[in-house]
Amino acid sequence: MHESQETTILADWTSTTEAHWQDQKPWVKPSVLDEILGWELKPEGLCQGSLCIPVPDAASLMTDDGLDLLAAAEKLNRPTLVDSENQWVVIGSPAEERENALVGRQVPNVTLRDLDGASRELTEWSGTRRLLVAFSSW
């Protein structure tokens, strides 16, 4: 078993969980998959409510260190980006959702803070052209 490290995961929301890192891959407790992605690993596969995606090789997602988070995301057709040095994992939206956004030219509603610190949602400017400028200090 490898040492557990606090890991930040950006998916549909941001969460922090303990993960074991092996070969630059995060392994998490199976119980946190629902918190991270809204899916559970069950004998019938990856499930969200009554919807299940069969995973014939479900045992390959598990080791003594936990659940292979990247493999689970791949089974859900969600792209991932990993920064193992800083223990960050970014899990993108499902392919179908990304395709629908492109075809329908719809941006998902997000809430961000403006320069004054007030929360703003993109839907506040629905029907108007908008430009989102984002930057990072690193």
Side-chain angles (χ1 to χ4, degrees):
M1 177 103 38
H2 296 87
E3 185 178 325
S4 179
Q5 299 177 13
E6 190 170 277
T7 300
T8 301
I9 301 170
L10 303 166
D12 296 334
W13 46 86
T14 303
S15 59
T16 303
T17 191
E18 293 294 316
H20 301 281
W21 286 82
Q22 180 181 350
D23 300 324
Q24 300 184 349
K25 291 173 61 175
W27 297 78
V28 297
K29 292 179 184 175
S31 59
V32 302
L33 187 63
D34 186 34
E35 295 171 31
I36 296 168
L37 296 175
W39 292 79
E40 294 179 76
L41 183 60
K42 295 182 175 181
E44 48 274 30
L46 287 166
C47 300
Q48 188 177 52
S50 62
L51 172 68
C52 289
I53 297 172
V55 180
D57 58 343
S60 69
L61 298 178
M62 298 292 298
T63 69
D64 290 341
D65 284 334
L67 173 77
D68 181 347
L69 182 58
L70 302 183
E74 183 179 346
K75 298 286 185 194
L76 296 170
N77 205 13
R78 296 181 72 157
T80 57
L81 177 67
V82 175
D83 179 350
S84 58
E85 184 178 327
N86 295 301
Q87 288 83 43
W88 278 78
V89 179
V90 179
I91 302 174
S93 299
E96 181 179 301
E97 190 176 309
R98 294 189 318 270
E99 181 180 347
N100 289 341
L102 277 172
V103 170
R105 296 181 358 187
Q106 293 293 319
V107 148
N109 190 34
V110 294
T111 302
L112 301 169
R113 297 206 182 275
D114 65 15
L115 294 174
D116 297 320
S119 291
R120 302 288 184 182
E121 293 186 11
L122 284 181
T123 55
E124 290 180 41
W125 297 284
S126 185
T128 63
R129 292 181 186 241
R130 50 205 174 266
L131 172 66
L132 176 63
V133 178
F135 66 93
S136 174
S137 61
W138 62 84

